[in-house]
Structures are given as C-alpha cells and as structure tokens.
C-alpha cells in the first residue's frame, strides 16, 4: 500500500531517537521548535507557481531530512508511522558522508 | 441527483472506519489533525491561477484519497453522506495495489 | 425591479426547506457549516484577475446551487428574499436530472 | 463644491428609507449586514491593477446602487450627507425599470 | 527646511476647523472615521508596482484633500504641524470651485 | 568595522534630540508614532521585486531621514548606537537647505 | 556530517559573546530584538520567486553576519550548536576590515 502525495507534500518516515543519537545530531529537548530527522519515502509533483508552472520539490526519495517538529500530519501505513508534510516544513537535507 | 463542484472543489465520500481498518491504514485516535480516507466522486474544473489559466486538480473520480479531517462541508445526497472540500484539503492519493 | 450584481457577485434565491426535502438533499441540522440550496437569479460580470482580465463566473442564471450558509448579504426585492454572495460562496451546481 | 474621489473610491448619496420603501426593496431591520440604497455622485478613476493598468469602476454617476452598510466614510458637503466608499463596498446596481 | 516623502507618502498640512466650517464641508463629530481636510505640501515619487514600475500618486502639491483621520504620522516643521501619510489615506480631492 | 545591510535594509545613526531641536523639527512627545531623525550610514542593494528585479532604495548614504520610531533593530558598533531598518520604515528625506 | 539547507535557508554558527565583545559590536542586553553575530556555514539554493526563477541568497559561506535573535531553529551537529534560518532573518554582513 502506497501514498502518492499531492502538490508540494512529502511523505517522511521519522528516524527513531536512538538511531539519531548514534548518527551524531542531537536535538536539545529544551528547544521549542526543535527539528527532527526523517527519511523521505514519497515526493509530490510540486505546487503550481504563480507563473502557472510546477515548482519541483528539492528533495528526493531516500533523502535523510531535518524537519520542523510541528509540521505535517501523522498517518499510519501497514502499522508504521509516517508524516505527510509540505516541502516548506523540511529545513535541510543531511549528507551523512 | 448529482453535484458538480465549482472551482477547485472535490466531492468525496468518506470510507467507513471498518473498511479502513481492513485496508491497512489506521489513524491514531489521539492525533489532533488525523486525516481520513475517502473516495473521490466528483472533481471541479480547477481554480483560476494568477496567470488567468485553470489549474486542473491532481485527483480524478474514483481515486481513494487521504483528506484533512477539518476540511470540507458535509452534504447529504439521497440519504448518503458526502464532503465538499477544496483540493488543498486532500493530502494524498492511496494506491492500494 | 432588478439587481445587476457587480464583480463576481451572484444573486441567489433560497429554496425553501420543504422543496429541498422532496428533492433529495437533506442538510443535517447539526452540521456547523451546512450549505443551503438556491436558484441563481443574476450573475455579475466577474472579478478582474491579476492579469487584468475578467474571470467569468462558472454559474449561470437558472442554476440550482449549493451555497455556504454564512456567505452573502440578505436583500428583499418586491417582498421576496434574496442573497447577494460572491461566487466563492457557491460550492457546487446541482444537476437534478 | 465637489469631491473628486481617488483610486477606486465612489461618492454615494444615501437614499432615505421612505423613498426606498416606495421603490420596492425593503431591507429587514434584523439583517446584520443589511445593505442600503444610494445614488452614485462621483466615481474615482479606478485602482491600479497588478499589471500596472487602471481597473475602471463598474458603476457610473447616476447609478442607483446597493451598498454595504459598514463600508465607507461619512462626509457632509454643503449640509448634505454623503459616503465615500471603495467600489468593493457596492454590491450591485438597481435597475428600477 | 523641507521634507521629501519617500515612496507613495504625501506631506499634508491640516486645515483648521474654523476654515473648514466656512468652506462648507462639516464633519460630524460623532462619525467614527470622520475624514479631515488638508493641503498637499509634498508628494513622494510613488510606490513600485508589482510590475516593477512606479505608480505615480494621483494628487499634486497644492491640492485640497480629504484624508482619513487615523492615517499618517504627525511631524512638526519650523513650529508648524504636518502629517506624513500614504496616498491610500487620502480619500478624495476637493474642488472648491 | 562596517555593516553591509542585506536586501532593502538601511543602517541609520540616530541624531540626538538636542541637535534635532536646533535643526527646527520638533516631535511632540505625546505623538504615539512620532518619527525620529537620523543619518543614513549604509544602504542595502534593495529587495527583489515580484518581477525578479532589484528595487533600488530611494535613500543614499549621508541622507538625513525621518524614520518610524518603532522600526528597526538597535545595534552598537564601536560603542556607537545604530539602527538597522527596512527602507519602508523611512518616511522621508530632510533637505535642510 | 553536513546539512544542505533547502530554499532560502542559511546554516549559521553563532559566535560566542566573548569573541563578539572583542570584535567591537556590543549588543545591549535590554534591546528587545537584539541581533546576534554568527558565521555562515551553508547556504541554500534560494527560494523560487514569483516569476518562477531562483532568488540566489546574498550571503556566502564564511560571511560573518548579524541575525535576528528570534529567527531560526537550533540544531546540534557533532556536539556543536548551529541555527537554520531564512535569509530574511539575516540583517547584514559584517566586514571586519
């Protein structure tokens, strides 16, 4: 079962805290808008810009991303947790190299 | 009796909880903005973009969609419940394959 | 006596509850933003789009429409009740065929 | 003494209640945003649209109009009451034929 | 000492009440947004429109104008009171002919 | 040490009250949004307009300006006080000739 | 481990107070929106403008910048503190020459 996001929406699978701590980025618990790490699972075709053309999202399936904790909507697919968020809720791509 | 949605409005028939549970996507009850599943029954011609051209909706009749629980307006047609919502309230299309 | 709506305004005559119930669409009383049925009596020429051109409304005189209960302004013409609303307050056109 | 409205502003002289009742349109007192009738006395050249061109108002001097009760600013010219409002506060033109 | 207004700002010198009463326009004290009369002393070059071009103001130095009482910022130049306001706070030009 | 403002930001050095009183513009203490005088020290390259082109600011280094008291952010450079504000917070240029 | 900011986001490493005091810019503690100094570590490709083209940020990696204290989101990379902010939260570039 798959979800095909519409517009500029991105399907992200959150990465568990444990895995994050090992990877090196630790988010301070006190931070009010602390972002969270996740893996991109599906990417919408992009929003329609004011000039009538698609604005293709800057992330692709497989990217490890940092996203705003308050962005997105939780969905459960085949017993796993995912988030559907707008591309604008994604702050950056993490290159773990 | 039919409803022809205007602009970027979409007519969606909600899918009952039971059917959803069987299908595999379970929405946690605690989730504040939990989306809901439905079937697209009618699609408007699309809104007029800033360049004066129609922006055709990205969903079509028959699509199984995930939509924001707070979007749309309830209408009852021939004793059945439907929702009239803007395309923007639809988060994604579910491919049940 | 006639009213010629300006811009994207539409003159709608509400259809009485009784007539609606017979027609088949019943609006639940509990619904907070329940739409109402009406008949289009006059249509404005449309708003001026951002590209400087008229955006012609998608409804025409005689259409049976579903509109947002909170849209529009009440006016009484020759002792009959009408509503002047923006086209955006009209959710869809009802094809009673 | 004359006022030349700027932009999309319209100078309207309200029509007294008595005259309105005779003319046939009666505004229910209970209506929260009940519009009022008036006569257009002066019309601004129109606002500058997003494409840099004037958007000429859709009303002309002499038109009998229905306007939003809460729109506009009261001014007194030579002891008579007038309203200066934006064209958008005018709902429609009344053809009394 | 002179002030050269920026963008679409206009420098207006208010006309004293006494002078206004003689001139014929009397503003009711009760009116919440009652406009006031003034004389244009300096005009900015105009704002930059969305198409990147200047939108030249519709008033000129010497014009007697009606302006919104709540618009503008008070400044005192050589012991005299002036107002710096956006062109949009000016409702109309008074032709006293 | 220098600050190069970004976009449409302007670096302004406030002129002390004493100097202002001698220069002739006195701001009434009671005025809620009373503007203040200052000297332009650095000018950003301008914001990017909606047509994708720079909109060059209308002030230049050395200009004596009147600015909104509530605009801008205070910074201290080499023990002196400055303000970084958007061009829109500058009301006008003072020609002291 | 690197973060590649999306859109017009900038990765900034705050400069410690001590270092700032030596450099000459002292931010008054009382200032409500006092900006802070930092070093640009990564720059996004820029937002898509209304004409559909990228608007390249005006800062580059290595720039010493003054940024709004309330802008941005804190992230910790390899035990060091960084901020991910929009270019608009950066007020100016400091030339320490």
């Amino acid at each position: 079962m798959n979800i095909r996001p519409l517009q500029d929406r991105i399907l992200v699978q959150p990465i568990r805290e444990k895995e994050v701590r090992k990877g090196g980025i630790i988010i301070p618990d006190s931070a009010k808008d602390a972002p969270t790490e996740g893996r991109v699972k599906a990417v919408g075709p992009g929003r329609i810009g004011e000039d009538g053309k698609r604005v293709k999202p800057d992330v692709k399936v497989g990217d490890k991303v940092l996203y705003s904790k308050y962005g997105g909507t939780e969905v459960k697919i085949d017993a796993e947790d995912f988030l559907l968020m707008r591309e604008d809720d994604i702050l950056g791509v993490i290159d773990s190299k």
Side-chain angles (χ1 to χ4, degrees), chain A:
Chain A
M1 178 174 293
N2 285 311
I3 289 178
R4 179 161 52 83
L6 289 186
Q7 308 285 341
D8 59 339
R9 289 200 181 81
I10 313 285
L11 183 71
V12 173
Q13 185 168 32
I15 297 177
R16 294 166 198 279
E17 291 290 307
K18 214 166 65 187
E19 184 177 340
V20 174
R21 269 157 223 267
K22 274 191 280 183
I25 295 187
I26 300 164
I27 309 299
D29 285 350
S30 61
K32 237 185 28 228
D33 286 306
T36 310
E37 276 182 59
R39 184 76 63 182
V40 172
K41 291 297 177 184
V43 177
R47 64 178 174 90
I48 303 291
E50 306 210 356
D51 59 346
K53 285 172 198 145
R54 290 260 180 221
V55 179
K56 247 193 99 215
D58 279 338
V59 295
K60 56 184 198 301
V61 172
D63 278 353
K64 199 170 158 187
V65 294
L66 211 60
Y67 60 86
S68 166
K69 201 164 71 178
Y70 297 111
T73 305
E74 294 174 33
V75 292
K76 200 169 268 205
I77 308 179
D78 299 331
E80 281 188 280
D81 288 317
F82 292 88
L83 282 157
L84 261 170
M85 62 186 69
R86 293 197 176 268
E87 190 199 0
D88 206 54
D89 291 318
I90 296 181
L91 304 173
V93 175
I94 300 166
D95 293 331
S96 39
K97 183 176 55 98

